[in-house]
Amino acid sequence: MSILVVGSVALDTVETPNGKVVDSLGGSATYFSVAASFFPSTIRFVGAVGDDFPKEHIDFLKSRGVDLDGLDQIRGGKTFRWGGSYIDDLNSAQTHFTELNVFGHFTPKLPDSYRDTPYVFLANINPELQLEVLKQVRRSKLVVCDTMNLWIDISKPALMETLRQVDILIINDGEAKQLTQESNLIKAGRQILTYGPSRVVIKKGEHGALSLTESDFFALPAYPLASVFDPTGAGDSFAGGFMGHLASTDQPESEEAIRQAIGYGTVVASFNVEDFSLNRQRNLTTFEIEERYEQLRKMVDF
Ligand code: AMP
């Protein structure tokens, strides 16, 4: 089954206690696609870059089998840039700058071949752009979205409209509280279910993830890692593993498939944080993913 993703493609400047990288490959759609590419689905990518975007990054995405027909390379444009650090707390990024650049004026236009994609992921980007993509999607089986504090702050009406149209929201704990003005995570999750999604998956960084519907509750710890190198992209990698598995089972209504998908999301995210940017994914294998998935499954079996 194929997966459509719209989101950011970025050149990130990131500082962690382990060092710093400047203008390294990042972006919500990038992390998502590479994570999902470890599962047997076609990833259809919608986004924009400037002509300063290195060709080696395009080649890398292509080497992962990502379909880039929907990636606009805008002449004279500058690629989106994000700068952040995790000096005091590895669970939450401090944003230093967000330069929208090409995303300031971008209107996504889906190639016709993308419009019937069954699985849709609206990665973290301006909710106005997420809505623009939803308008062009014809028949989808499952729409999942992500967001972040910036959009809750400056684009809440559009975000609420997006939420009315999605099946699942994947969001981190701080953002769930910010979105709902609730300090208790369970109350925040229940509140989000009244906004439109029938399921909310709340990521809690090193403390794992939980999933809530009207009738089901599921929680999974993170894969235990003694050293986290760079958490950037963990959330998007989680979403990529989650959607990658769900699309391959093609049973988005099954609670069992959802729980397994949360397991795969957790595992793929755990590899992502072992190195800066997408460096760990460059030599990651599906064998390693399956091996760690089995370890995680055994850890929570009681
Ligand atoms: P994550 O750590 O999974 O939340 O995602 C980190 C990625 O999100 C980085 O590679 C950034 O380039 C990207 N990002 C940061 N801020 C924004 C934003 N306002 N809109 C879209 N993408 C962003």
Side-chain angles (χ1 to χ4, degrees):
M1 285 288 146
S2 39
I3 304 173
L4 171 70
V5 57
V6 60
S8 60
V9 191
L11 295 174
D12 286 344
T13 296
V14 176
E15 196 174 356
T16 81
N18 298 298
K20 182 173 176 175
V21 286
V22 177
D23 278 351
S24 63
L25 177 61
S28 56
T30 314
Y31 279 106
F32 174 88
S33 303
V34 172
S37 73
F38 288 94
F39 299 81
S41 302
T42 313
I43 320 297
R44 296 170 170 165
F45 196 100
V46 179
V49 292
D51 44 19
D52 55 348
F53 192 66
K55 183 175 173 298
E56 65 188 80
H57 296 336
I58 305 244
D59 292 342
F60 171 56
L61 289 168
K62 282 190 182 156
S63 77
R64 295 293 326 157
V66 180
D67 175 346
L68 296 179
D69 281 357
L71 178 69
D72 248 349
Q73 185 142 27
I74 295 169
R75 277 235 187 105
K78 217 178 150 201
T79 300
F80 173 87
R81 278 171 173 75
W82 175 77
S85 66
Y86 305 80
I87 299 306
D88 299 324
D89 178 5
L90 279 172
N91 278 318
S92 73
Q94 292 298 313
T95 292
H96 296 186
F97 61 85
T98 302
E99 291 174 13
L100 290 180
N101 298 329
V102 288
F103 282 114
H105 309 282
F106 175 63
T107 308
K109 182 144 186 359
L110 264 52
D112 207 46
S113 57
Y114 281 22
R115 294 185 58 194
D116 292 318
T117 311
Y119 289 82
V120 177
F121 185 67
L122 309 171
N124 174 30
I125 196 146
N126 188 335
E128 309 266 2
L129 298 185
Q130 296 178 323
L131 284 169
E132 206 49 59
V133 165
L134 281 183
K135 268 193 222 154
Q136 297 171 54
V137 168
R138 269 190 298 241
R139 268 184 299 272
S140 55
K141 277 191 177 178
L142 186 78
V143 181
V144 182
C145 90
D146 186 7
T147 192
M148 74 179 292
N149 52 2
L150 176 68
W151 309 119
I152 302 172
D153 280 337
I154 70 170
S155 202
K156 194 154 175 193
L159 176 60
M160 294 304 281
E161 184 50 44
T162 303
L163 292 181
R164 272 191 278 282
Q165 300 183 41
V166 306
D167 302 297
I168 302 179
L169 172 67
I170 300 184
I171 189 167
N172 74 30
D173 45 4
E175 291 154 2
K177 291 177 181 173
Q178 183 192 353
L179 179 64
T180 57
Q181 304 288 311
E182 284 287 356
S183 56
N184 176 289
L185 215 47
I186 304 302
K187 276 193 185 154
R190 289 195 182 133
Q191 183 66 33
I192 289 168
L193 295 179
T194 69
Y195 298 162
S198 56
R199 178 182 301 273
V200 57
V201 177
I202 302 180
K203 300 164 290 178
K204 301 186 293 166
E206 64 178 323
H207 304 297
L210 54 88
S211 158
L212 227 102
T213 67
E214 293 257 303
S215 54
D216 285 298
F217 180 87
F218 178 65
L220 193 66
Y223 181 82
L225 284 176
S227 147
V228 172
F229 215 81
D230 171 15
T232 312
D236 309 307
S237 301
F238 173 94
F242 175 86
M243 285 288 272
H245 176 74
L246 216 49
S248 70
T249 63
D250 198 21
Q251 288 184 312
E253 307 290 335
S254 149
E255 182 66 26
E256 191 188 355
I258 293 272
R259 291 178 179 207
Q260 291 167 352
I262 292 173
Y264 279 107
T266 299
V267 165
V268 179
S270 76
F271 283 111
N272 174 70
V273 304
E274 289 181 347
D275 204 341
F276 278 107
S277 183
L278 288 106
N279 294 339
R280 180 63 180 91
Q281 286 88 325
R282 289 175 195 271
N283 58 12
L284 182 63
T285 63
T286 48
F287 179 78
E288 288 175 298
I289 292 174
E290 291 300 337
E291 198 177 39
R292 197 171 273 191
Y293 180 84
E294 257 328 287
Q295 287 171 1
L296 181 65
R297 227 175 45 75
K298 287 198 180 115
M299 274 174 215
V300 295
D301 186 21
F302 67 92

